[in-house]
Amino acid sequence: MSVGKNEPRRDGPAKLTGRALYLDDINIPGCWHGVTVRSTVPHGKIKSIAYDPSFPWDECVVVTAKDIPGKNLVTLIEADQPLLADGIVRHREEAIVLIAHPDRATAYEAAKRVKIEYEALPPVFDMEKSDKVFKSYLIERGDLDAGFAAADVVVEGEYRTPSQEQAYIENNAIAAYEEDGVLIVTGSLQCPYYVLKAMKAIFNRGEDKIRVIQTVTGGGFGGKEEYPSMLAGHAALLALKAGRPVKIAYDRHEDMAATTKRHPALVRHRTGLAKDGRLLAQDIEVVMDGGAYATLSGVVLSRGTLHAAGAYECPNVRVRSKVVMTHTPPNGAFRGFGAPQTLFAVELHWERIADALKIDSLTLRQRNIFKLGSTTATGQILVESVGAEECLQKTVKHSKYVSKRKEYDRWNKNKRNKTWKGIGLAVCHHGAGFTGSGEVYLASRAGVALTKDGELIVLAASTEIGQGTNTMFAQVAADALGVPASWFTVETPDTHKVPDSGPTVASRTCMVVGGLVSRATHDLRRAFEAEFGRVPKTAADLKKAAAALCKGAPARRFEVQYEKPPEVTWDDATYRGDAYGVYSYAAIAVDLEIDKLTCEVRLVKVTTAQDIGKAINPLLAEGQIIGGSTQGLGWALLEEPLFKDGVMINNQLTNYVIPTSLDTPSFQVLLVEKPYTRGPFGAKGVGELPMDIPGPAVAAAVKHATGRMIPTLPQTPERISQALK
Amino acid sequence: MIKLTVNGKKISFKGAPFKRLIDALREDLALTGTKEGCGEGECGACTVLLDGEPVNSCLIPVCQADGRKIETVESLGVPEKLSKLQAGFLACGGAQCGICTPGMLMTAHAHVRSKGKCDDKSIRTALSGNLCRCTGYQDIVKSVLKAAKGGKK
Ligand code: FES
Ligand code: FES
């Protein structure tokens, strides 16, 4: 058995020796450098575009919207985002003109020689003042009025969360070129088939004439989910016009200013409870800032909405949510995908409720937390794999939460101490896979191939972006077949080689696509048994079996498609039913200390228990948990994109600060494995869950330490000292 | 002409003296193991060793390395035979997306080689100029500790 073992990561040796080739490492002969001329106003009409006559333009290739052969559109969900602004710009840094030149520095110089004049139009930056709603949702359960009427107390609170930059260390980078009539697009990306779909509309080409290939990718975290479709379009327009390869590799400033970020959010809670702490009514309102185009905002909001009531059973619930347009660069996918925003509110709200009821927030959580058989706000009954209570209990025990609360209360009373200490808690659920009927629409495919020489290859479009996809797939396939994991390789995501497994997002790679790989491998296993008598046991055996199965063909493919589990029902119109096939669960305790003079926060320890069904590779799963939690801690304490006139002004790693090795505490990770019958070997999602709740746990710990609730992030020394005034 | 010793090999560099060291390594010497994450001295992805000391190669003009020794990630092991440090990273989960890894390895290599104190705190201090967005650092620290301990035997 390989599943459950810490197989070393497949891509490790190449990455550790500098041999892994990221896009900018690849020597593409004759490749020119592409650069982008972007809007300098947040909203306006383009009056004129002028090219400085003293510059040698004949050395360059220049592209504007007029050069687009098909639709001027980045196809995603709504048809609203142009590939290049034409006539009107709706946010700062919107792409207008593209230039390619053999020399990178000259290309940048050329970009400076383009003068664009605008007629300014009024921008909207405040999401509460926007009247353009991209998408709204309503979830209702029970009778809200009756719930509030029966309540002994009603507690209200308002919570805000800022944007966040993914800050993958490899910036966005894509190259394009044409080879034998096929347009090849290659680079740093999460979702090859999203790029393919966008390219089809831009270039009026069929799938056979476009090929998207992922290169080794230096981090994504959602930031390379939709943006690469735009970048690919830009590189390909330049390449086709230049008749040669063109590469666009953003520098850090451009990447931070122009590409997608987490949606800022405002969440209001009104909660009715019985005196003993039982939830009776939750009325929740969510507003998110989508930026200038809809892009993924509707789905981000959907996930945020479906997680807004938290991992608790409440008989009467209403969640109203909307995502609106502002004149800022579009916000997009970022690990957690709307859930961290709403979970911040519902989790921190427990601290307010605790004050109102004089019952501590741990007891309140225990009283209401999801159990087997609980019903969610959408009416979903949780029939299996519910590890919420166990996560909470393990986290409390291993963090010594209860005794530390008391110990720190005593410490904080002593005026002579130079610090305050606090420990805070949070719990959450996270739906694995696409929301509602999303997986049905995706209809993903994946498979395995057996070549006549006995190579076993996993075929999936899911990308390795550091999470360990390739290693995990090989382990799943190996155990499904009953052979060593080393027998399997994993094909590079290349749209001419692998089927459309859907995007690498939504914590779906292991549970959904891994499940498909496992099913396809079972088909292969049956073929071995039927045509060879058994599954081969040795390498020589495998060669013989391969010859028998391939019957002279170069290879045999076994592909399967997603099938909706019959027990899952969902209604998109009413937002009722099984929002997700299953949920993962997590609890976290953050232990910290605050300097009374400087208000600086030092993280002492983080303890977290996470129910992911089954850890296919515990080392990789823990890597996801520690890494994801660290991004959550960054959001909680350090990270805040600052906007002025609709553009990020701290678009550098110098002033957009992410955690370093010294900012990061020691982690204790406890895996909880409540298997899900439909996940491969019981596995559920792990990718996003860890990002969800470090924020509220930090805020709760700061409140414990200082006595002040700061209902927003990040909890910087400035904010803490302000709150203490 | 600028004379460099790169990974033990003597090299005459004929390009522009103020070309960034990272570009000279990547473009002229085809040593693409060294990565660029920010180009302004913040992320450490471009870390190489200059006379044994970690430096950000995006901030240094190649002329500043004249007559000096440069070590890049390519000087450690090869995939078939990883160095002790690289093997530590593989065993402990020290690399995920891998883009920070070459720089991280070079800083860690200098730290382990310095024969100073090598514990959680000293490793974290040594690595504080190398950003990693994937791992949360704990497994990197473990990787270095494992390699350092193995080295003493
Ligand atoms: S690229 Fe040199 S420090 Fe970031
Ligand atoms: S492994 Fe991805 S940035 Fe460090």
Side-chain angles (χ1 to χ4, degrees), chain A residues 9 15-17 19 22 24-25 165-167 169 218-219 252-253 466 623 627 630-631 639 652 659-661 664 667, chain B residues 26 32-33 35 37 40 42 77-79 86 89 91 95-99 105 124 127-128 133-138:
Chain A
R9 61 183 312 133
K15 285 176 172 173
L16 287 159
T17 51
R19 298 211 183 169
Y22 301 78
D24 210 25
D25 302 334
E165 162 60 37
Q166 292 89 355
I169 302 297
R252 180 61 60 184
H253 295 193
T630 301
Q631 288 178 355
E639 300 179 33
Q652 291 173 261
T660 69
S661 49
T664 320
F667 286 88
Chain B
R26 291 175 51 87
T32 55
K35 308 298 179 193
E40 50 189 7
E42 274 305 317
V78 292
Q86 289 165 322
F89 271 63
Q96 288 188 21
C97 84
I99 193 82
L105 284 167
R124 283 182 184 270
L127 295 180
S128 62
R133 190 56 154 170
C134 295
T135 62
Y137 303 101
Q138 183 154 306

Side-chain angles (χ1 to χ4, degrees), chain A residues 583-602:
Chain A
Y583 298 84
S584 298
Y585 298 90
I588 191 170
V590 173
D591 189 343
L592 53 74
E593 191 169 13
I594 303 174
D595 186 295
K596 283 185 180 173
L597 210 61
T598 63
C599 291
E600 268 172 308
V601 178
R602 188 177 71 86

Side-chain angles (χ1 to χ4, degrees), chain A residues 167-170 218-219 221 465-466, chain B residues 94-101 104 131-135 140:
Chain A
Y168 31 69
I169 302 297
E170 182 206 24
F221 319 116
I465 53 173
Chain B
Q96 288 188 21
C97 84
I99 193 82
C100 72
T101 308
M104 206 60 91
L131 296 177
C132 174
R133 190 56 154 170
C134 295
T135 62
I140 293 180

Side-chain angles (χ1 to χ4, degrees), chain A residues 2-12 16 335 464 466-469 471-472 475 612 614-628 667 669-671 673 686 690, chain B residues 86-97 134-143 146:
Chain A
S2 171
V3 166
K5 289 213 189 90
N6 293 333
E7 299 263 358
R9 61 183 312 133
R10 291 293 171 107
D11 45 343
L16 287 159
R335 200 177 208 163
E464 168 68 73
Q467 353 73 308
T469 301
T471 314
M472 176 274 291
Q475 290 183 259
I612 58 171
K614 169 78 190 170
I616 303 289
N617 182 318
L619 181 67
L620 293 178
E622 278 181 33
Q624 285 297 292
I625 292 170
I626 298 174
F667 286 88
V669 176
L670 308 147
L671 294 176
E673 297 182 314
V686 61
Chain B
Q86 289 165 322
F89 271 63
L90 187 63
C92 300
Q96 288 188 21
C97 84
C134 295
T135 62
Y137 303 101
Q138 183 154 306
D139 286 347
I140 293 180
V141 174
K142 270 195 201 159
S143 305
K146 185 179 167 87

